[in-house]
Amino acid sequence: MTEPSGRRERKKAATRQKIADTALHLFLERGYDTVGIRDVAAEADVAVTTVFAHFASKEALVFERDQDFEQRLTRAVTDRPPREPLIPALHREVQALVQHCTAEGSAPVRRLIEGSPALQEYEESMSLRHAQALATALAADPHLSRSATACQATARFTIDAYALACRADDPGATVDEVFRMIEAAWEATAP
Amino acid sequence: MTEPSGRRERKKAATRQKIADTALHLFLERGYDTVGIRDVAAEADVAVTTVFAHFASKEALVFERDQDFEQRLTRAVTDRPPREPLIPALHREVQALVQHCTAEGSAPVRRLIEGSPALQEYEESMSLRHAQALATALAADPHLSRSATACQATARFTIDAYALACRADDPGATVDEVFRMIEAAWEATAP
DNA sequence: TTGTGAAACACTAACGGTTAGGGTTATCTT
DNA sequence: AAGATAACCCTAACCGTTAGTGTTTCACAA
C-alpha cells in the first residue's frame, strides 16, 4: 500500500537496471551465446541468484524494454472512442509499434535476436501471449459481437502483421499491405 | 551414393525408433518434466549421447511423428492441378491435418504438450518454420503472382488456422470459419 | 532511538539438458 | 582380408536454473 516509500525500491530498480544494462552491453559486445549468466552476474557485481530474482530467464534480459507491448495493443482496442471502427485503430497502433521497433537505436538489438534461435523462440512465445491477450480484449468488446474464433484469428493475424513488418525491408508498407488483408478477413466475419 | 545397403541403416532406424517409443511411453506414464534424458537413455538401453545423435533436443522426442507436416502443406500447393484455386486446396489439406492431430489416439500426446510450456514453445517454433516453407512455396507458384508480403501473410494465417483448430472445441468448424477469413484476405491481394 | 520483520541480496551446491573428447565395435567397401 | 567409416559408448564437463540457507539493509512503529 506504500507507493514511493523510498530507498529500497530505488536500490532494487537500480540493481535491475544495472543487470539489464550490463547484460545487453556484454551481449552486443561478445555475442549472446558466448556470454554466460555467470559473466553477466560477475560484471554487474551481483550474485547469479540475484539475476534470476529480477529476470525469469536469460532471454528475458534482452527484452527488458518491450514491457508495455501487450498493454498498448489491448488499449488500442479498449480505449478506442465509441463507434470507432476496430481495424483502423489496430492498424495505427501496429504501425506505431513497428516504427518503434525498427528505429535506428533498435537495430543492434534486432541483429542480436536474429542471430540467436533461443531469442527468436522466446520472442515468438511472447507474441503468442500477446495474441491471446488481444483476442480476449476483442471478445470482450460489446460493439463487435464476433465469434470467439473470429476474434482469435484476427488477434493472430495482427501479431503476424507486426512480426512480418519487423523483419521486412519496408516495414511501413508491409503493415499497410497486411492490414488490407486483415480488413477483408474481418469484414468476412460480419454477423 | 549407396541407397538401401542394408543392416546398418536398419539398426540405426531401430535404435531411433526404440528411443522415441521409450521416451513417449515414459513421458505419458510419469510426466514430461519428471522424466530426464538420462532416464530415457537408461530405459532404451543406449548412451545419453546416442539420444542426442538421433534427436536434436528433448522436446523433439515428442514430435517424432509430425515429420511430413511441412511437406504435406507445401505439396498441397505445388502438386495441385493447374488452374485449381489455391485457398480451397489449402483448406482441404489443413482440414485433413487437423483431423489427424485431433484424432482419438493423439489425445494423450496433446495433453502432454498442453501440460508443458517447453513443448508448446517448441511446437510454435516448428509452426513458424512451416509457415516460412509454405510462404516460399506460395511465392514460387507462377500462377499466383502475388507480392512476397501477401504470400508470407497467407502462410502465417494458414498456420494460425491449424493452431487454433487443434485447440478448439470444434476443430472442423474452426478451420472452416478461419478459412472464410483467409479466402477474403487472399482475394483482397488480387493484382 | 531502537527493536523487529521483511525484503533484497549472497553463497554454495546441486539438477537437468546438452556437448566435447576420445575410444570401441559393427558394418561397408574394395 | 584390410582399411575406412558410421554408430555407438563412456566420462566429464558446460551452462541455465533452482533450492537451501544465511546475511545485510531498509521500513516502520513503539
Side-chain angles (χ1 to χ4, degrees), chain A residues 147-165:
Chain A
S147 74
T149 299
C151 292
Q152 286 168 341
T154 304
R156 288 213 180 214
F157 294 177
T158 302
I159 300 295
D160 290 336
Y162 173 79
L164 284 175

Side-chain angles (χ1 to χ4, degrees), chain A residues 25-164:
Chain A
H25 182 248
L26 287 181
F27 290 159
L28 290 173
E29 193 178 62
R30 318 210 307 250
Y32 181 74
D33 298 316
T34 341
V35 176
I37 287 286
R38 290 163 177 89
D39 300 328
V40 174
E43 184 79 12
D45 197 29
V46 296
V48 170
T49 42
T50 301
V51 174
F52 285 104
H54 286 276
F55 300 91
S57 66
K58 186 187 180 187
E59 294 94 46
L61 284 165
V62 174
F63 294 94
E64 228 263 301
R65 298 181 173 175
D66 311 336
Q67 296 287 338
D68 42 27
F69 187 102
E70 190 170 309
Q71 245 193 12
R72 287 187 60 177
L73 261 189
T74 55
R75 285 206 175 161
V77 174
T78 58
D79 294 7
R80 142 188 67 114
R83 309 221 190 297
E84 167 111 5
L86 171 72
I87 303 297
L90 273 179
H91 187 166
R92 271 196 308 277
E93 191 60 39
V94 170
Q95 194 64 266
L97 288 167
V98 166
Q99 274 169 20
H100 180 269
C101 122
T102 57
E104 219 26 68
S106 305
V109 179
R110 276 241 71 81
R111 244 174 288 131
L112 195 68
I113 297 170
E114 315 269 309
S116 158
L119 287 176
Q120 285 174 235
E121 209 164 316
Y122 185 86
E123 194 180 20
E124 294 159 33
S125 185
M126 276 179 48
S127 291
L128 229 174
R129 285 207 314 281
H130 299 156
Q132 279 156 353
L134 179 55
T136 305
L138 290 179
D141 189 313
H143 295 283
L144 298 178
S145 69
R146 300 298 221 278
S147 74
T149 299
C151 292
Q152 286 168 341
T154 304
R156 288 213 180 214
F157 294 177
T158 302
I159 300 295
D160 290 336
Y162 173 79
L164 284 175

Side-chain angles (χ1 to χ4, degrees), chain B residues 8 12 15 38 46-47 49-50 54:
Chain B
R8 205 176 253 179
K12 180 175 179 178
T15 302
R38 289 163 179 90
V46 295
T49 42
T50 302
H54 286 275

Side-chain angles (χ1 to χ4, degrees), chain B residues 156-170:
Chain B
R156 289 214 179 214
F157 293 178
T158 301
I159 300 295
D160 290 336
Y162 173 79
L164 284 175
C166 280
R167 293 158 180 76
D169 292 333
D170 185 342

